[in-house]
Amino acid sequence: MMQKLQRFGAAMFVPVLLFSFAGIVVALGCLFNNATIFGSLASPTTGWYKVWDTISAGGWTVFNQECLLFVVGLPIGLANKSHGRAAMESLITYLTFNYFVGAMLSHWGAFFGVPNFNKITITANATNGGLTQIAGIKTLDTSIIFSLIIAGIVVYLHNHYFDKKLPEWLGTFQGSTFVYILGFFVMIPVAFLTCLIWPKVQLGINSLQHFIVGSGFVGIWIYSFLNRVLIPTGLHHLVYIPFQFGPAVVAGGLQPYWLKHITEYAASTKPLSQIASMEGFQLYGNEKVFLVPFICWAFYATAKKNKKKQTSALLIPAALTSVLTGITEPIDFTYLFAAPILWVVYSVMAATMNTIMWCFGLRGLMSDGAIGIASMNWIPLWSNHWHVYVMQFIVGIVCGLLTYFIFKLMIEKFNYVTPGREADNEDVKLINKKEYKEKMAQQKMTQQKIAQQATGVAESDPYIARAQAYLELLGGSSNIEEISSCATRLRVTVKDPDKLGSDAQFKANKAVNVVHHGKAIQVIVGLDVAQVLERMQALIEKNGH
């Protein structure tokens, strides 16, 4: 079950990767068209306004079509083969499902409890009686929930029937066509049940929204803690995605909601806690900006004297990456397994800090690092809300200092092997043993030739050596049952964990670390994991697996 949940969480992350850039584009458009900052230049009649409004319109693409993105993205992460065809099958089946729903409600709306279906006109920024438009189809607003359900059904059909051999006279219906035929008929009862059940579920979602909003600081703390502590399992995606991009709090998700109203928030002199009361579940970028640098400081302070220079060379770039971009994994996995209790402490401190900030009135879209937070919060809203941001920095620095002292005390008291405290014969960067490096050097030319034959790319390709090395360290192609990736990690299900190489061998090939959950393995590669995965898949296919 854990393996399936991890793989599902990784697949959900495929479309989520697009949201950060799109959010910054929209925020910049709102910023540069903010009359309180740019005055008459931001008037709707100026060329300046029209240019930035056009750019913002492009940025809204991701948010306006997020249901379609999840429908296409999930098969890319979950299909066993022919991912592109699986994505196409998922898209057309999802559209078919919505056409069925629209037709059923049009003809029998009263029976399903939607008697005004044909009379309701879909308008922007309205609940529309629980209805919406998807790709021009008037249908029930099932948000990303049914995007994931339909995509999951199609992935199952694709993995089981895409290679189904039909009689010669039916050969034209093989492959994607056969999957779509099956999906077409499956969608009829699915659409019927959706029309029957979903209007009632929508009422339940509305009740859940009120419960979450009314739970106050307790709900904020629990959400923030789970969103951080579950990172090693990869299940944190299942925590924040329904809030940030789904209907858990507001229709359409909190991130699009914030961006749609950011100009309104910027112009208002009322506290954010009043005008954006529900926007308290996206504050988890604060731990990336305020806590991680102090954790790095604690590691440096407790490092051995003869390793401080090496430790600082490792930690400074990682800390800057966390603060500026919100990518924390280079730091997270340097101590997560050496001292897991520190990870729990970090999660508790992150949840506590976010909750304190929330209690002092902080609201906003703060899921990234300082660049994203500044473009979507500090810069456009500073004029009228600088007081709460000054408070944010004060609380963040105080909590950061407290985290520093707790980490330093625990590291020294319990002698945790954090960066810079390794044995004297081990390097801070955890480079492999000399024997293994020599072996890898001898195999380098062979690996490049094999990879070149498998991928058809030049030997200068920077990803081939790692792809070949990871494949061998995972026990070879025959030992891999499933392989996918999220933002920075390879997620692999192996047949025999005993065939794996050591963690040190993975690290010698530029992996940050390795996570073990029985047969479910995560190799933390970095932001170029998608390119490494592509080379590995080509090698696996070349080997006939």
Side-chain angles (χ1 to χ4, degrees):
M1 179 58 70
M2 177 61 72
Q3 297 169 14
K4 293 180 179 178
L5 287 174
Q6 286 179 347
R7 193 178 180 205
F8 180 74
M12 288 182 69
F13 205 77
V14 173
V16 168
L17 290 172
L18 305 176
F19 284 89
S20 295
F21 171 74
I24 291 175
V25 170
V26 172
L28 289 175
C30 295
L31 168 65
F32 289 120
N33 278 340
N34 189 331
T36 61
I37 298 176
F38 290 92
S40 60
L41 186 63
S43 171
T45 60
T46 64
W48 171 274
Y49 180 93
K50 294 174 183 178
V51 167
W52 282 106
D53 186 64
T54 300
I55 293 173
S56 294
W60 276 109
T61 303
V62 172
F63 301 105
N64 291 338
Q65 306 299 332
E66 65 179 22
C67 290
L68 298 181
L69 283 176
F70 279 98
V71 163
V72 172
L74 204 67
I76 293 174
L78 292 179
N80 292 337
K81 61 176 62 176
S82 300
H83 305 85
R85 289 181 177 271
M88 178 190 69
E89 297 155 9
S90 182
L91 176 61
I92 191 61
T93 303
Y94 178 69
L95 295 177
T96 301
F97 160 78
N98 281 292
Y99 272 118
F100 280 149
V101 169
M104 289 178 182
L105 292 179
S106 177
H107 296 305
W108 303 290
F111 172 78
F112 293 114
V114 191
N116 297 320
F117 178 82
N118 292 320
K119 297 179 181 179
I120 295 175
T121 301
I122 305 300
T123 58
N125 299 321
T127 58
N128 297 307
L131 305 178
T132 189
Q133 267 195 336
I134 297 175
I137 309 166
K138 188 178 178 181
T139 181
L140 281 172
D141 186 1
T142 57
S143 187
I144 65 168
I145 294 176
F146 270 74
S147 298
L148 302 177
I149 291 174
I150 302 304
I153 292 173
V154 174
V155 167
Y156 175 86
L157 295 174
H158 176 87
N159 288 342
H160 285 78
Y161 299 105
F162 179 77
D163 290 331
K164 177 72 175 179
K165 177 65 176 174
L166 300 179
E168 291 296 329
W169 59 280
L170 292 176
T172 189
F173 297 115
Q174 290 181 171
S176 291
T177 304
F178 186 52
V179 173
Y180 174 58
I181 291 172
L182 296 174
F184 181 94
F185 289 106
V186 169
M187 287 304 105
I188 296 175
V190 172
F192 177 83
L193 292 173
T194 301
C195 292
L196 193 65
I197 297 172
W198 189 252
K200 301 176 180 62
V201 173
Q202 287 178 323
L203 294 176
I205 290 176
N206 291 334
S207 299
L208 178 62
Q209 172 183 336
H210 294 305
F211 171 78
I212 293 175
V213 173
S215 64
F217 69 90
V218 175
I220 297 295
W221 194 95
I222 293 174
Y223 172 85
S224 299
F225 176 76
L226 292 176
N227 195 37
R228 181 54 41 183
V229 79
L230 289 176
I231 281 181
T233 68
L235 301 182
H236 59 298
H237 302 318
L238 305 182
V239 174
Y240 76 80
I241 286 179
F243 283 78
Q244 196 161 339
F245 308 115
V249 180
V250 295
L254 287 169
Q255 180 166 325
Y257 189 87
W258 173 266
L259 294 172
K260 287 178 182 177
H261 296 83
I262 191 172
T263 303
E264 170 191 334
Y265 299 151
S268 177
T269 57
K270 294 181 180 179
L272 289 175
S273 58
Q274 292 183 17
I275 59 177
S277 60
M278 294 176 290
E279 296 283 359
F281 294 94
Q282 299 183 101
L283 304 181
Y284 53 88
N286 283 290
E287 57 254 35
K288 306 171 184 181
V289 174
F290 295 109
L291 297 191
V292 171
F294 285 96
I295 290 174
C296 292
W297 183 20
F299 291 157
Y300 177 80
T302 55
K304 296 179 179 179
K305 290 184 178 180
N306 63 327
K307 289 178 178 275
K308 284 189 179 293
K309 184 176 180 180
Q310 289 178 302
T311 304
S312 63
L314 173 69
L315 296 178
I316 291 175
L320 288 175
T321 299
S322 174
V323 171
L324 296 177
T325 69
I327 302 297
T328 62
E329 289 184 328
I331 284 295
D332 294 343
F333 291 95
T334 59
Y335 72 94
L336 177 58
F337 306 105
I341 189 63
L342 292 180
W343 182 261
V344 177
V345 172
Y346 170 39
S347 301
V348 170
M349 289 303 302
T352 303
M353 178 184 66
N354 292 336
T355 304
I356 293 172
M357 290 178 176
W358 181 88
C359 290
F360 277 104
L362 185 66
R363 305 290 188 275
L365 175 52
M366 301 181 176
S367 57
D368 298 319
I371 294 175
I373 294 176
S375 63
M376 290 180 270
N377 299 268
W378 297 334
I379 296 175
L381 276 70
W382 183 267
S383 178
N384 288 324
H385 302 285
W386 62 271
H387 308 82
V388 75
Y389 296 140
V390 170
M391 175 281 304
Q392 176 188 7
F393 272 83
I394 294 173
V395 172
I397 292 172
V398 170
C399 288
L401 286 170
L402 184 59
T403 301
Y404 164 78
F405 286 115
I406 293 174
F407 265 59
K408 185 174 183 295
L409 176 64
M410 293 184 66
I411 291 170
E412 292 175 340
K413 180 175 179 60
F414 299 105
N415 195 28
Y416 292 133
V417 186
T418 50
R421 296 176 63 83
E422 302 85 354
D424 289 337
N425 63 343
E426 293 183 24
D427 189 80
V428 173
K429 293 184 179 181
L430 300 178
I431 297 297
N432 220 3
K433 292 182 179 180
K434 180 179 179 181
E435 293 78 10
Y436 183 76
K437 290 198 297 182
E438 291 175 350
K439 176 184 176 183
M440 293 302 300
Q442 294 172 356
Q443 295 177 345
K444 183 177 181 181
M445 292 302 298
T446 303
Q447 292 173 355
Q448 289 181 333
K449 290 180 180 178
I450 293 174
Q452 182 179 357
Q453 293 172 358
T455 62
V457 297
E459 291 186 5
S460 60
D461 189 313
Y463 310 110
I464 289 178
R466 279 189 294 162
Q468 179 67 32
Y470 296 153
L471 191 60
E472 291 183 359
L473 292 171
L474 288 167
S477 302
S478 60
N479 195 41
I480 295 177
E481 288 187 352
E482 296 177 347
I483 184 168
S484 60
S485 70
C486 64
T488 57
R489 308 179 225 179
L490 290 171
R491 295 171 180 261
V492 189
T493 301
V494 298
K495 298 177 182 177
D496 185 0
D498 293 334
K499 293 183 179 181
L500 299 179
S502 67
D503 290 359
Q505 290 174 326
F506 279 99
K507 293 171 187 174
N509 289 279
K510 300 183 180 180
V512 177
N513 216 316
V514 184
V515 185
H516 300 267
H517 291 291
K519 295 183 178 181
I521 310 299
Q522 299 177 30
V523 183
I524 296 85
V525 175
L527 294 175
D528 53 1
V529 66
Q531 290 79 8
V532 174
L533 173 63
E534 182 181 353
R535 272 57 171 188
M536 292 180 68
Q537 289 172 329
L539 290 169
I540 292 171
E541 184 176 351
K542 179 69 175 180
N543 294 336
H545 296 280

